[in-house]
Amino acid sequence: MTSLIKKNASENADDGDANLLINEVVGVPGGIGEAARLARSAAYDSFLRGLLAGRDGVALLAVGGLGRRQCAPYSDLDLVLLHAGVPGTDELAASIWYPIWDAGLRLDHSVRTVAEALSVAQDDVKVALGLLDARLIVGDQALADALIRTAADHWRRTAVRHLPGLREVTAARWQAHGELAFLLEGDLKEAAGGLRDVGLLRAVSAAGITDALRPAVRAAHLRLLDTRDALHQQVGRRVDRLVAQERDGVAALLGLRQLQPGTSDAARHPGAVVEDGDALLRRVAGDARTVSHALDDAFRAAERLRSGRSRGGNGRPVRRPVARDVVEHDGELVLARTAIGARPDPSLSLRVAAAAATTRLPIARATCEWLAAYCPPLPAPWPAEARAALTTLLGAGPGLVPAWETCDRYGLVDGWLPEWTRLRSLPQHNPVHRYTLDRHLVQAAHEASRHAREVERPDLLLLGALLHDIGKGLTGDHSTVGVPLAQAVATRIGLPPGEVALIGTLVRLHLLLPDVATRRDLADPVTIASVAEAVGDTGTLDLLHALVRADAAATGPAAWSDWKGRLVAELVARVRTALDTGMLPEPPAPDPALLAGPLPVVHLTGDRVSVAAADRRGLLATVAGCLALHRLEVISADASVVDGRALVECRVQPRYGLPPDPVSLRADLRRAVGGDVSVTQRLRGRALAARGGGAAPRVVWHREAATDAVLLELRAADAAGLLYRVTCALDDAGALVRAARISTLGADVVDAFYLVGGWPDDDVRARLEAAVLAAV
């Protein structure tokens, strides 16, 4: 019997209307926790029983969350109308589905015989898993039992054969949704370690392969269900992604609160108790880790059962040495018998981890437990063998992350780096970051291994990548407060003083290159000289260049772009010249095409816009406004006067992804720089209409950051036309802008303007600052 395919009526209603219908018609209670979920399931059961009068040969079954009695406040309903070939089932199904839709409920439904359901389950492993949760709501008990019993028996007989394909599908889902344990805004259901993975653990347990639902997994599952309940209740609709703006509200519903720093008595200061969204994120991370680890173990157990691995003549698994004291046994890494019998070497856990990372084989659970219990702590300083193993581990490439996570699961990492306890699952409150701090650091080391051949000391690059953000979560600039922490780690692992100092330099300066490249004029000798002085030598420069690329790759796609990469590479090349020769490179000459031909001259080439016009004030503001009119963001801008010609050269990128029509842009630029009033009025109206919000803007002055100018730095919310408004204000105030650098950081910008002249008078600077802030 074919499934009924009808439009879900609730899709045509907004969430508020649908929720009202659910409460009025179904009477589903809200609330968080297991008791609330059972109450919701009972309410749905009661509602559904009223839609099907008892009759032989027909049964209404619930699968999914309702089948498990784990309904969230705004769950979908997954139903199967099972029949024994009785006539009129299509009409009967319609009489059930339409009242459900009319109640505002989302519905996934099918109409099948027992044979049809089993046939589909045999071909579709997802259907087979769904039937493991099947539960009779109303109707023919014997018919329902026949399907439920047969489906369970069939799964037990075929699960080992189906699991490899299921693992591939699961891996694709993980690739799409990421790992819940490390994401700042993860999907509680679909991400690795989420609720859907608990369903896979139930399936493995139902097949009798291994006891995957251990007590720790069950507890983690209940907490994840509670979190989803609270998220639904907080948002007022079905949603599974725990986004940052909902985190504190969900934490409050779950009772996760903390005292504000400096307050010790909640009874005397009730307002000092605040929601702790960070605690929620840490709890979710811990639960997701528990689920992920259990599923890894379950999949490996199933694979061993399916393949039997390579067996020797006695039928036992073959043991293959892979490193000193480490052998492969049945697809996992275990300790050699001599390592277990002898006094353990303190570096043994690191050597096992390095072997796992390089071979990309998992470490057996029993081996991890043995290492956690019996491996002695590392001395200070570490022996050379331990340092070598750490370098091998960090430089292992794709094998690093799973090996590190396994060791962290059993507390081995805390033995290597006691600082890791504070870093574990620490949120990063910046929209460009996609990972928690611990995963970001390990990912940065992985990304740094791609650049190992570009530097003289790849071992220091790897260690610097692992420690570069160690100061986050503490008071103060993390690049500064992290230096003594990183140096303490480097000292403890046995690096000599010079290398310890270099690790501190990498931590202190790891943001120097991108900050300077995007916020300063690279043609100004002062810019190059200041970076060269801070870096000191080309070896450190190479390390920092590799580190900044690894850091950006581990942060997220918003942290890097082709233009940013070009700017950083240009800065590195200029600083290298200064360090190698002791001479500052000459600033680039303006485009020769701008110095010839009748005015105005407009050139559009790739991401560059170049304009030449008769020398006059306000040309930069005019060009910036015209670019804003065509939805182009200015990344950098340079203004100069050569032989009586005013030149403006800008690097741009489309604000919304699509480039403008070049013919229209060129025409508007020509008219605007020629003084056409109609273009000026049009660009003023549109640019001024698009203002940003957020915190109050701020102006910072830098007096010695340029050769012939003072630097005014504006920190404000991003908005279309911001550069135009600010440059107009500066021009009206009598300031001459030589160059501008635009750096966008999520929803904020840091715009640097090079103003010709010293501007030493405090009153004049205050007037200029007020004009800029008024324009924002």
Side-chain angles (χ1 to χ4, degrees):
M1 181 70 65
T2 184
S3 300
L4 292 175
I5 308 297
K6 295 291 185 180
K7 180 71 173 177
N8 187 336
S10 66
E11 293 179 1
N12 295 323
D14 61 28
D15 288 322
D17 292 341
N19 297 343
L20 180 62
L21 287 168
I22 292 170
N23 292 332
E24 289 182 346
V25 179
V26 184
V28 176
I32 300 166
E34 188 170 13
R37 291 188 287 272
L38 291 173
R40 278 191 289 272
S41 300
Y44 281 127
D45 286 358
S46 177
F47 170 69
L48 294 171
R49 290 190 187 107
L51 302 179
L52 178 64
R55 55 184 292 185
D56 294 336
V58 178
L60 184 64
L61 276 65
V63 294
L66 182 57
R68 298 187 298 272
R69 293 188 173 93
Q70 293 171 349
C71 296
Y74 297 103
S75 285
D76 292 353
L77 295 184
D78 298 314
L79 300 175
V80 178
L81 183 61
L82 194 65
H83 66 96
V86 298
T89 52
D90 280 350
E91 292 76 9
L92 177 61
S95 70
I96 299 172
W97 307 150
Y98 276 100
I100 296 173
W101 288 326
D102 291 341
L105 298 171
R106 294 180 180 271
L107 174 65
D108 187 5
H109 56 88
S110 61
V111 182
R112 294 188 175 112
T113 65
V114 171
E116 289 170 343
L118 293 174
S119 177
V120 174
Q122 187 170 359
D123 297 331
D124 189 338
V125 67
K126 293 182 180 179
V127 174
L129 295 184
L131 291 179
L132 296 178
D133 297 324
R135 178 175 62 85
L136 177 66
I137 299 294
V138 62
D140 192 322
Q141 180 74 57
L143 185 66
D145 288 345
L147 175 62
I148 294 171
R149 182 179 60 255
T150 307
D153 290 343
H154 180 266
W155 175 250
R156 280 191 290 271
R157 288 184 283 103
T158 62
V160 173
R161 175 166 54 87
H162 281 303
L163 281 176
L166 182 60
R167 188 171 189 173
E168 290 183 7
V169 173
T170 301
R173 171 169 55 83
W174 292 345
Q175 183 69 29
H177 294 279
E179 299 169 83
L180 183 58
F182 307 112
L183 293 172
L184 297 173
E185 294 188 335
D187 190 304
L188 296 172
K189 183 177 181 181
E190 302 292 346
L195 293 170
R196 194 173 291 281
D197 283 354
V198 179
L200 297 178
L201 290 173
R202 282 196 305 273
V204 172
S205 294
I209 295 172
T210 183
D211 182 16
L213 293 175
R214 298 187 291 270
V217 175
R218 294 178 187 274
H221 181 213
L222 290 177
R223 286 191 293 268
L224 289 173
L225 288 173
D226 290 349
T227 303
R228 185 175 65 171
D229 288 352
L231 180 59
H232 281 207
Q233 192 160 313
Q234 168 71 15
V235 178
R237 58 185 173 86
R238 179 195 169 184
V239 60
D240 295 322
R241 187 165 175 245
L242 182 59
V243 297
Q245 59 263 34
E246 306 296 350
R247 201 180 295 148
D248 283 347
V250 173
L253 290 172
L254 293 172
L256 296 176
R257 297 173 179 268
Q258 66 172 349
L259 285 173
Q260 289 182 336
T263 306
S264 59
D265 189 347
R268 295 178 59 187
H269 304 282
V273 180
V274 296
E275 294 79 10
D276 194 351
D278 287 0
L280 171 64
L281 200 61
R282 284 179 181 264
R283 193 178 86 169
V284 168
D287 292 336
R289 276 182 157 129
T290 298
V291 172
S292 291
H293 295 153
L295 189 56
D296 286 344
D297 290 344
F299 275 144
R300 289 204 299 271
E303 177 61 21
R304 288 195 298 272
L305 188 62
R306 186 186 71 85
S307 65
R309 296 290 177 187
S310 299
R311 303 281 171 171
N314 58 3
R316 296 178 179 176
V318 174
R319 294 170 64 91
R320 178 178 66 90
V322 296
R324 185 167 73 86
D325 296 328
V326 186
V327 299
E328 178 190 354
H329 175 81
D330 214 12
E332 297 179 326
L333 295 187
V334 300
L335 293 175
R337 296 184 180 93
T338 54
I340 297 175
R343 179 180 176 84
D345 176 0
S347 66
L348 181 59
S349 62
L350 272 166
R351 291 192 286 108
V352 173
T358 53
T359 62
R360 301 181 69 175
L361 290 172
I363 309 172
R365 184 173 70 182
T367 298
C368 291
E369 292 172 344
W370 190 94
L371 289 170
Y374 299 109
C375 190
L378 286 159
W382 288 10
E385 192 172 27
R387 289 195 302 277
L390 178 62
T391 300
T392 301
L393 171 62
L394 295 178
L400 165 62
V401 173
W404 188 280
E405 174 61 15
T406 297
C407 293
D408 197 22
R409 170 188 180 184
Y410 291 95
L412 301 180
V413 174
D414 289 348
W416 310 334
L417 302 172
E419 297 84 357
W420 205 254
T421 302
R422 181 180 61 82
L423 306 176
R424 186 179 293 109
S425 302
L426 186 67
Q428 303 195 76
H429 300 287
N430 188 310
V432 301
H433 278 279
R434 60 181 172 181
Y435 293 133
T436 53
L437 180 57
D438 55 337
R439 174 57 186 276
H440 169 70
L441 294 175
V442 177
Q443 189 71 29
H446 161 55
E447 300 292 346
S449 68
R450 304 177 189 272
H451 306 288
R453 297 182 182 180
E454 302 173 15
V455 298
E456 296 177 0
R457 291 297 303 271
D459 55 333
L460 298 184
L461 170 62
L462 297 170
L463 184 60
L466 182 70
L467 301 176
H468 73 280
D469 277 346
I470 194 172
K472 283 189 174 178
L474 302 175
T475 303
D477 181 354
H478 75 280
S479 298
T480 301
V481 300
V483 171
L485 300 177
Q487 290 180 328
V489 173
T491 300
R492 189 166 64 246
I493 69 175
L495 296 184
E499 295 175 8
V500 170
L502 182 52
I503 290 296
T505 299
L506 294 181
V507 173
R508 179 168 49 85
L509 300 181
H510 74 272
L511 296 177
L512 174 68
L513 296 181
D515 283 352
V516 171
T518 56
R519 302 181 188 179
R520 297 293 182 264
D521 181 8
L522 303 189
D524 194 312
V526 171
T527 300
I528 306 304
S530 63
V531 175
E533 181 180 4
V535 171
D537 58 75
T538 57
T540 303
L541 179 66
D542 289 336
L543 287 169
L544 287 170
H545 191 202
L547 177 56
V548 70
R549 287 174 286 167
D551 185 15
T555 297
W560 199 250
S561 61
D562 290 341
W563 70 264
K564 191 171 185 177
R566 289 196 299 270
L567 288 176
V568 171
E570 180 182 343
L571 172 62
V572 169
R574 289 176 173 274
V575 172
R576 184 184 305 281
T577 299
L579 291 171
D580 283 341
T581 67
M583 301 179 62
L584 297 175
E586 292 293 328
D591 184 352
L594 297 178
L595 303 179
L599 298 175
V601 179
V602 176
H603 283 170
L604 309 179
T605 55
D607 64 348
R608 290 182 178 271
V609 174
S610 304
V611 174
D615 186 11
R616 65 178 179 84
R617 298 185 65 87
L619 181 60
L620 176 57
T622 299
V623 172
C626 197
L627 295 176
L629 178 66
H630 287 265
R631 298 180 177 180
L632 285 172
E633 291 182 328
V634 178
I635 300 167
S636 67
D638 292 289
S640 60
V641 177
V642 178
D643 297 334
R645 293 183 175 222
L647 310 180
V648 172
E649 298 181 76
C650 300
R651 280 181 171 172
V652 298
Q653 64 183 7
R655 189 172 186 86
Y656 300 111
L658 295 176
D661 174 31
V663 175
S664 176
L665 174 59
R666 186 179 289 107
D668 277 349
L669 281 169
R670 285 182 175 275
R671 293 165 58 200
V673 301
D676 190 313
V677 177
S678 64
V679 178
T680 305
Q681 290 175 340
R682 182 160 58 104
L683 65 89
R684 276 183 180 271
R686 293 199 184 182
L688 289 173
R691 291 178 178 262
R698 180 186 175 201
V699 166
V700 178
W701 294 87
H702 300 273
R703 297 295 303 276
E704 299 179 357
T707 304
D708 58 348
V710 66
L711 192 64
L712 183 152
E713 192 173 81
L714 171 65
R715 302 173 185 178
D718 188 19
L722 179 62
L723 177 61
Y724 167 65
R725 296 198 301 274
V726 174
T727 49
C728 281
L730 290 170
D731 184 61
D732 292 342
L736 178 60
V737 179
R738 173 173 68 73
R741 294 294 179 270
I742 314 303
S743 179
T744 303
L745 306 171
D748 294 331
V749 294
V750 178
D751 294 351
F753 299 91
Y754 285 77
L755 309 183
V756 176
W759 295 85
D761 189 277
D762 291 341
D763 292 337
V764 175
R765 286 205 311 274
R767 176 174 57 82
L768 195 61
E769 180 176 333
V772 169
L773 294 176
V776 176

